[in-house]
Every structure is written in C-alpha cells, then in structure tokens.
Amino acid sequence: MEMECCSYMLPLVASCFFFLCSFFHALVATRRRSGDVCCGPRHAPRSHPVLGCLVEFYRNRRRLLDWYTGLLAASPSQTVVVERLGARRTVVTANPANVEHLLKANFGNYPKGKPFTEVLGDLLGGGIFNADGEAWRAQRKLVSHEFTARALREKVGAALEAEARARLVPALDAAAAGGGEVDVQELLRQFAFNVICRVSLGAEPRDEAALPLSRLAAAFDAAAAIIARRGAAPVAAVWKAKRALGVGSERRLREEVEVIHDAITELVHRGRRRTHPGRRSRDDLVSRMAAAGYGDEAIRDMVISFVMAGRDTTSSALTWFFWLMTRHRDVEGEVLGEIESASRACSVGVDLDGSRRMRVLHAALCETMRLYPPVAWDSKHAAGADVLPDGTRVERGDRVTYFPYGMGRMEAIWGADAGEFRPRRWLAPPQDDEGVSPFKFPVFQGGPRTCLGKEMAFLQMKFVASAVLRRFELRAVDEGRSPVFVPLLTAHMAGGLKVTVRRRRRQQEGTYQSTVACRTS
C-alpha cells in the first residue's frame, strides 16, 4: 500500500516542483523585462529559478565586499537587487541620491526593522543601535548629553589623558625600549574600551582589579563575530535552528552574551552604588538613565550599544590609519608638522580646540575611513512600498542596504583615483567632511540618525594619533603584506597590525619626561 502511494505521489511532487520552477523563472524574467531587477549579466549575480542567486552568493560568501563592489560598479545606477532562497529581497546601493532618500527624505519608511533587530537582539537587546521609533528617540535624547562640548572637554578629554598615561604610551615606550613587537590593533581596542567604560559607566581604575575588563572585551569580540555571521548567512533558518537547539556557534554566543550581561550589570550596580543621597549627583550615562527611571536591563542594553560603538569604530579606523602612515611617509610628515603646531606643550595628545584646528590630520582620517569604513554596510527594512530616486522599486519588507565600503571605491563618486589614498581630496573646496555630503560619505550615517558621537570619535582619533606619532615611529613587521579587511559588526584588520616601535629623536632627548613633569607639577 505504501509503495502504491509513493508511486502516485512521486510524479505529483515532481510535477509541482517543475511547475514552481517554471513559475519562478517566468516571474524573474518578467521582472527583468520590466526593469525592476538589474539582472543583466553585468549588473547582478546570476539568478536561477527558485534558488535565485543563492549559488552565486554562497560561492562569494568569503569575498562579499569585493563581489558587491564589482556588481555596483557595473550597474549604471550603482544599485542592484538581489533575490535568493531563504532571504528577503535585498536592494543594495552605492548611489548617494538613494542613500539620502533612505536616511533623510523618506526616513520614516526605513527603520532598522524586525529582521535587523532579531539578528542583533541577543547581544544589543533594546539599546539605541537596535531600537526604532519612540524608544530610539527617547534614548537618543538622553545620550545626547554625552556629546556636548563641555562633556568632550571635561569627561572625554580627562578619560583620554588618563588612559594614555596609564597604558597606551607606556606600552609603546616599553616596546621601543625592548625592541619587541606590539599589536597596535589590540592595544587600540583595549584603550578605546577603557575610555568608553570611564565615560559611559563612570568606571574607575580600581574596577578593573575586581572585574577583568580583558575578559569582557574578549566576550564582545566573540559575540560580535557570531552575530556578524548570522547577518551574512546564506540561509537565516540555519542559525535560527541552531539557536533553538542551543548548539554550535549559537551556544557559544549565548555563553559570551551571559558574560557580557553579568559584567555590565555588575558595573551598572557599582555606578548606582556610587550615587546615593548626600553625595553630589554623577554625570555619567548610567546615573542619568537611573535618574530618568530606566531599569537595570534597559541601562545594560544602552551601555552595551555604547561600548560596541565607542570601542570598535575608532580603534578600527585608527588601526588602518597607522598602517597607511607606514605606507605613506610623506603624508605622515605633513600630519606630524600639524601635530607639533596644534598640540599643547603639557598634554599627552591634543585637546578639543586643538583637534578642531587639525585639518591635515582630519583629512587623513576621513580618507582612511573612505577606504576602510568601520561599518562596511548598513541595512534598513522598508515599512511600505517605495521607489528610490534612481527608479528602483522597493517592496514592503524589503531589506535596503547602503554600502559605505563600495561607495568609497566608486569612480562615479570619487573619480578615477577612487582606489588611491589621497588625503588632499578633503582639503580642496568644499573643505573636509563638513563640506562633503554625508550621503556621499555615510560613515557617520546622515539625516535624523546621524551619529551623535562623530565629534567625540574625531577627538579620540586625533588625540591618539597625536600622542603616538609625536613620540614614536611605527614600522609594520610585514611591510610587504596587504592586510585583509574583515567586515564584522564593525570592521577590523585580520591578524591585527604587528609593528616595531622606535622613539622619535626628540623623545630620546627627554622631551616626553619633561612633558609629564609639566603636567604633574
């Protein structure tokens, strides 16, 4: 009886399968003719019935940045539409007009959306970088106090000075004295992590003795890597099944997130204990959120978002900046000349006013982030149907991705030398990134969600660049190697940046020692 049933069912299943294949093939062909999908051989990945471009996506899964960049460069509109089995229809664009439409002109139609928040939710919870609507607006208003000029001068400036004196400069000085190697990327990540903990949590030096921040930083690294692989997975159902079963990478993610949650919650509790009746109210993020009535979980989620953004973005940009300085000594010389004139005599780095005057360094940092953006791509999900300025149709629920990494390499945007490191492009009118459309250079987003921490990020990067380059000359251990850009939640350099360190001549003559004496006397 079972054999007879199978003999009748198999032809029926086969017929249904071929019908579906024919249907999808006709549907894709119709869309090609209508111009809704850029599916010409030069403009989009090869597509198959039912599977869509899943085969091509999987084949290029380890080089998605270059794959998408090539597709976008070949497209007349710098936009492609990608459809594949197991994923939402995705519009990928490097067109500045489209980016402005997403981030500003039709902002309300392009929230992060449930698919995005689901991927990041286990790590970021309801924090600002994973929130939409009123929850996002309320958090943004609260966080804005972290980025006033007063906060940058007092809190951020003090944290930078303290961490540079305690760890950054001594670590490089020891490497110079001992002739050993140091991983600049790891050093910068730890530096940025400690600074953001001081600023957002009100953390004090003694906190590290009771709670090793290195373990917390390692947990952030592991969790971010797994979350990023979720977002790039060819079929989302795979990671969701692993999460439901608690196996493989999803089990590891759960364990690392538990470490993060426990550690941040403990730091939040310490912040609360430092604020009690009879003492002057503190002005850190934790204290303000507590005063506004937020519970421990909401504060924890906000702090996690803050730490992720503050730690990884600036350290990523600075790692690539220092590598580029080892390859472009002429630019380094220009930057050094500006640092000498802008830095205060009794400061490790540079203060807020001095950083605002540093146009050459600013240009070099912008050019670094144009080629190596800390966030390689960002996605929104359409709340309703729409048509982008270049004519691309967007359906409700579509994922719409703008692509800073690819945009930085588009000759249509930056000219024939788009692939070259040329900071002077930022010094010609319109001057620096303030005169360049944020939708052409969306490293800090644009529109209502423009990054609140932009000036803080530049202050931190300029401070570190000043503190390091004034004192030390860095040389890449493997000067012939072209580092690999790894685009996780925030990008990093594969294998780190191993360098040897030499004191600059004036450091050998004792200038740094006299500067420290000046500061502490």
Side-chain angles (χ1 to χ4, degrees):
M1 185 69 178
E2 291 179 357
M3 292 295 294
E4 290 179 1
C5 181
C6 287
S7 66
Y8 284 111
M9 290 297 293
L10 285 175
L12 179 60
V13 170
S15 298
C16 290
F17 176 78
F18 284 115
F19 170 78
L20 287 172
C21 286
S22 300
F23 172 78
F24 276 96
H25 183 76
L27 180 62
V28 172
T30 300
R31 286 185 171 177
R32 284 177 178 170
R33 288 193 297 270
S34 67
D36 289 336
V37 184
C38 299
C39 283
R42 296 174 59 250
H43 304 152
R46 182 179 301 172
S47 187
H48 304 279
V50 182
L51 296 177
C53 72
L54 181 61
V55 174
E56 288 295 304
F57 184 91
Y58 186 79
R59 182 179 298 156
N60 290 281
R61 69 192 184 283
R62 301 191 190 283
R63 55 177 299 273
L64 287 177
L65 293 176
D66 293 335
W67 186 56
Y68 277 124
T69 299
L71 294 172
L72 292 166
S75 169
S77 63
Q78 285 81 59
T79 302
V80 295
V81 179
V82 177
E83 297 186 82
R84 57 187 171 88
L85 182 68
R88 292 175 179 269
R89 180 175 182 267
T90 301
V91 178
V92 184
T93 189
N95 185 320
N98 288 346
V99 176
E100 182 172 7
H101 185 80
L102 296 175
L103 300 183
K104 183 180 179 182
N106 201 11
F107 171 77
N109 192 53
Y110 293 98
K112 289 182 176 292
K114 185 178 178 181
F116 183 96
T117 57
E118 184 178 26
V119 169
L120 276 71
D122 291 314
L123 176 59
L124 298 184
I128 188 170
F129 298 115
N130 208 36
D132 283 317
E134 289 305 316
W136 164 73
R137 290 184 180 87
Q139 292 186 54
R140 185 176 173 90
K141 182 177 180 180
L142 193 66
V143 169
S144 65
H145 295 283
E146 298 292 317
F147 305 110
T148 62
R150 178 182 176 184
L152 292 176
R153 284 193 176 91
E154 297 178 1
K155 294 197 318 182
V156 178
L160 290 169
E161 286 272 342
E163 282 300 320
R165 292 182 184 283
R167 294 176 178 82
L168 180 63
V169 172
L172 291 170
D173 204 44
E181 300 174 6
V182 63
D183 184 350
V184 168
Q185 177 169 261
E186 188 55 37
L187 188 62
L188 292 172
R189 292 171 92 178
Q190 191 64 53
F191 173 85
F193 183 79
N194 291 346
V195 167
I196 204 66
C197 283
R198 285 177 181 268
V199 171
S200 63
L201 289 161
E204 298 175 359
R206 65 175 177 270
D207 289 332
E208 188 169 358
L211 178 68
L213 297 183
S214 59
R215 175 65 186 100
L216 179 55
F220 269 108
D221 288 342
I226 296 169
I227 290 286
R229 287 197 292 272
R230 276 183 177 183
V235 180
V238 174
W239 70 259
K240 290 182 180 180
K242 290 167 66 177
R243 181 177 65 176
L245 295 171
V247 298
S249 59
E250 289 295 319
R251 178 179 178 179
R252 171 81 185 284
L253 175 63
R254 186 175 61 198
E255 294 169 350
E256 298 297 345
V257 168
E258 185 176 346
V259 170
I260 294 168
H261 283 181
D262 289 348
I264 296 296
T265 299
E266 173 60 24
L267 289 172
V268 169
H269 287 165
R270 292 183 189 186
R272 284 186 183 277
R273 288 196 293 269
R274 285 194 290 263
T275 303
H276 58 75
R279 290 186 62 180
R280 184 173 62 88
S281 61
R282 297 175 64 87
D283 192 32
D284 56 71
L285 179 62
V286 170
S287 301
R288 276 200 308 278
M289 290 192 73
Y294 286 89
D296 285 354
E297 184 175 328
I299 297 175
R300 180 201 71 196
D301 290 348
M302 171 64 90
V303 170
I304 289 172
S305 287
F306 215 72
V307 169
M308 286 291 292
R311 169 183 180 246
D312 290 341
T313 52
T314 55
S315 61
S316 171
L318 281 167
T319 299
W320 289 99
F321 167 79
F322 284 123
W323 174 72
L324 286 166
M325 291 302 95
T326 69
R327 302 288 289 265
H328 299 272
R329 295 297 183 184
D330 56 332
V331 176
E332 183 187 47
E334 290 186 67
V335 169
L336 268 171
E338 185 176 67
I339 287 173
E340 290 295 343
S341 62
S343 300
R344 292 181 300 153
C346 293
S347 172
V348 175
V350 64
D351 63 8
L352 179 63
D353 294 331
S355 74
R356 288 173 172 172
R357 296 194 299 269
M358 303 177 82
R359 292 181 60 243
V360 176
L361 178 53
H362 193 96
L365 290 167
C366 287
E367 184 71 347
T368 297
M369 291 186 288
R370 181 183 72 84
L371 292 171
Y372 302 102
V375 179
W377 42 40
D378 190 21
S379 296
K380 314 294 181 184
H381 288 81
D386 192 18
V387 178
L388 300 181
D390 68 359
T392 302
R393 182 173 53 80
V394 176
E395 299 172 0
R396 184 176 181 271
D398 281 357
R399 178 178 178 176
V400 186
T401 299
Y402 68 96
F403 188 34
Y405 180 91
M407 293 180 76
R409 287 160 172 74
M410 291 293 116
E411 292 187 6
I413 299 175
W414 298 99
D417 61 352
E420 299 175 17
F421 178 72
R422 195 172 68 80
R424 288 211 164 270
R425 76 175 79 241
W426 298 89
L427 298 175
Q431 293 177 354
D432 67 46
D433 70 304
E434 297 299 332
V436 173
S437 167
F439 311 110
K440 174 181 175 180
F441 179 63
V443 169
F444 296 96
Q445 294 205 53
R449 278 194 101 124
T450 297
C451 178
L452 283 168
K454 177 180 177 180
E455 189 166 17
M456 176 178 171
F458 272 116
L459 172 59
Q460 181 166 324
M461 290 188 290
K462 291 175 183 178
F463 181 97
V464 172
S466 299
V468 173
L469 293 180
R470 285 169 68 189
R471 294 166 177 80
F472 308 104
E473 179 183 343
L474 308 182
R475 290 190 176 276
V477 171
D478 187 356
E479 293 188 335
R481 179 177 77 100
S482 293
V484 176
F485 182 87
V486 182
L488 299 181
L489 290 184
T490 48
H492 70 271
M493 184 182 290
L497 177 57
K498 306 293 195 308
V499 301
T500 56
V501 185
R502 293 196 306 186
R503 296 188 186 96
R504 294 199 184 274
R505 183 178 300 276
R506 64 182 180 282
Q507 296 310 312
Q508 296 169 354
E509 295 169 355
T511 305
Y512 175 60
Q513 286 80 356
S514 64
T515 299
V516 172
C518 175
R519 183 69 179 175
T520 56
S521 60

